[in-house]
Amino acid sequence: MSSQTPSPRPVPASSEGEPRKPRVAVVFGGRSSEHAISVVTAGAVLRAIDREKYDVLPIGITSDGRWALTADEPERMAIANRELPTVAGLAESVEGSVVLPVDPGNREVVYSEPGSVPKALGDVDVVFPMLHGPYGEDGTLQGLLELSGVPYVGAGVLASAVGMDKEYMKRVFVSFGLPVGPYEVIRPREWENDPAAARRRIVDFAGEHGWPLFVKPSRAGSSIGITKVDDAAGLDAAIEVARAHDPKVIVEALLRGREIECGVLEFEDGPRASVPAEIPPVSAHDFYDFEAKYIDSADGVVPAPLTEEETRRVQELAVRAFDAVSCEGLVRADFFLLENGEFVINEVNTMPGFTPISMYPRMWQESGVGYPELVDRLIQAALRRSTGLR
């Protein structure tokens, strides 16, 4: 059996014999707690895709996992009056479902409804997976697309899985010599079988590193399920809040410093870093939480007011993090600039938000890559790659 990596498949010709436009399936929604933000992000991407260059097929995944055909109406996918959109509200049918082929020789997408003959929707040449959190950003969807032989935007199976799990992400960073902050992990079995021992360990951790602590789901994003804990009395409740999103919990020490972000984008000659941004303290929130990011539109400073040496250093660390996790396409790397002048990496996000106020596109806009060009570069990078081992 050959292990040779297949070459990217050229876009087939149309029925008239002329090369047709590549067809991009924008997949969004999903089963995670970040469902709504995925819808908002996909709406922004749909507005930006060049329709003269690409055909587009929007596919939403409902909160219960059904793949639904949705209308190409990005204006309905925005936050309106603080109300978050859902795939269920956009789906063309409450029962119809979309099926991707699990066959590298066939890229035809099929739509079916109960009691009706399945309808072919045509071939898909590349998938733009605008999914955040588990069941989409964590390698699960990427594995399905690898089996199907369909190229896709962003990180592969390994990088997606590592980028979603804060514990193993930090372990990889350490192995590549990247500085990380102190943390502890509470595994599901530990909390279920002996919560008192887990609680003592975290209290001891706080005794070494001080309060407050941040209690987080290990495999979630968008600051969902995170609690800032000021003392031991609030620990159990914070752990339960995190466990509502992920049975594995990570506890991080407070790092006193400035929050700095940096985008990484794959160009033809390799990954490059954007100008960095700074997330200033948000007066109405304890930290940069979900409401601050998406509802109250917290303002980031782009570019961050850093020295030339600090800018060069954080850009270098961002690209090193991209390579350490074996990322592809894009990454947003988040750092703390400590009071002693050292950078500590907090995490990478392998599919960062693309909402109009999201930091990743804003950083690249300031770096000379506008939103439509950014989307185009990501699609083109995916079309250049093969699936399988690479």
Side-chain angles (χ1 to χ4, degrees):
M1 182 176 179
S2 173
S3 61
Q4 183 178 0
T5 300
S7 300
R9 194 172 75 172
V11 176
S14 67
S15 57
E16 290 77 23
E18 296 294 325
R20 63 171 175 81
K21 292 185 287 187
R23 197 157 194 233
V24 182
V26 178
V27 180
F28 59 95
R31 294 164 54 191
S32 84
S33 54
E34 299 175 76
H35 175 98
I37 291 307
S38 172
V39 177
V40 175
T41 302
V45 169
L46 284 169
R47 281 191 293 271
I49 293 179
D50 184 351
R51 303 311 175 93
E52 294 186 0
K53 189 173 183 179
Y54 304 104
D55 286 327
V56 177
L57 177 66
I59 300 173
I61 302 177
T62 63
S63 296
D64 60 2
R66 179 173 62 93
W67 290 50
L69 186 64
T70 67
D72 187 5
E73 298 176 355
E75 65 277 2
R76 296 174 56 201
M77 301 166 72
I79 298 173
N81 300 319
R82 300 178 74 89
E83 292 292 324
L84 299 172
T86 66
V87 169
L90 298 165
E92 295 193 351
S93 166
V94 296
E95 294 184 309
S97 61
V98 174
V99 179
L100 288 180
V102 188
D103 176 0
N106 174 24
R107 293 183 181 173
E108 187 170 71
V109 176
V110 174
Y111 177 73
S112 62
E113 292 189 59
S116 300
V117 177
K119 179 173 64 175
L121 299 179
D123 284 6
V124 165
D125 300 297
V126 63
V127 170
F128 205 133
M130 299 310 309
L131 293 157
H132 303 304
Y135 312 110
E137 191 183 351
D138 59 350
T140 49
L141 176 64
Q142 290 75 15
L144 172 63
L145 296 173
E146 293 286 351
L147 289 173
S148 301
V150 181
Y152 52 93
V153 169
V157 175
L158 173 66
S160 297
V162 171
M164 179 52 53
D165 191 314
K166 293 177 176 63
E167 176 194 1
Y168 287 99
M169 184 196 312
K170 292 176 188 292
R171 290 181 180 273
V172 168
F173 289 156
V174 169
S175 72
F176 277 81
L178 292 164
V180 304
Y183 69 96
E184 286 284 348
V185 174
I186 303 175
R187 301 185 185 282
R189 188 185 308 158
E190 181 182 13
W191 186 250
E192 292 158 8
N193 294 343
D194 194 352
R199 191 181 303 111
R200 284 194 301 271
R201 183 160 56 83
I202 301 306
V203 170
D204 289 344
F205 177 76
E208 181 180 358
H209 299 287
W211 300 94
L213 302 176
F214 288 92
V215 179
K216 306 178 178 182
S218 184
R219 294 161 293 193
S222 292
S223 300
I224 291 174
I226 298 177
T227 305
K228 181 183 177 183
V229 180
D230 294 313
D231 53 45
L235 190 57
D236 281 31
I239 290 171
E240 291 301 336
V241 168
R243 281 172 52 82
H245 301 277
D246 184 356
K248 185 167 79 166
V249 174
I250 190 165
V251 180
E252 297 175 347
L254 172 68
L255 295 177
R256 300 188 184 280
R258 299 161 61 188
E259 292 189 49
I260 306 295
E261 298 184 349
C262 190
V264 180
L265 178 64
E266 181 182 342
F267 285 75
E268 290 81 357
D269 59 352
R272 302 182 199 171
S274 70
V275 300
E278 180 169 7
I279 307 300
V282 185
S283 58
H285 303 266
D286 273 346
F287 57 95
Y288 195 45
D289 62 5
F290 179 89
E291 291 252 335
K293 284 183 179 179
Y294 299 112
I295 305 297
D296 292 338
S297 306
D299 291 328
V301 180
V302 188
L306 300 172
T307 66
E308 288 186 12
E309 174 57 26
E310 288 169 339
T311 296
R312 183 201 63 78
R313 176 63 175 157
V314 76
Q315 289 175 326
E316 175 197 348
L317 289 170
V319 172
R320 283 177 57 190
F322 181 96
D323 287 335
V325 182
S326 297
C327 291
E328 294 168 299
L330 72 164
V331 144
R332 193 195 71 233
D334 300 345
F335 298 86
F336 291 102
L337 176 55
L338 303 184
E339 294 171 348
N340 64 6
E342 295 297 318
F343 282 101
V344 170
I345 186 164
N346 185 38
E347 63 182 11
V348 293
N349 192 316
T350 57
M351 187 51 72
F354 270 79
T355 64
I357 63 169
S358 294
M359 297 309 299
Y360 185 85
R362 287 181 60 193
M363 288 186 287
W364 278 108
Q365 177 75 45
E366 190 67 26
S367 304
V369 181
Y371 199 108
E373 181 186 351
L374 179 62
V375 170
D376 184 69
R377 282 191 172 277
L378 290 169
I379 294 171
Q380 287 298 315
L383 286 169
R384 287 195 301 270
R385 288 195 299 269
S386 64
T387 52
L389 299 177
R390 53 188 184 273

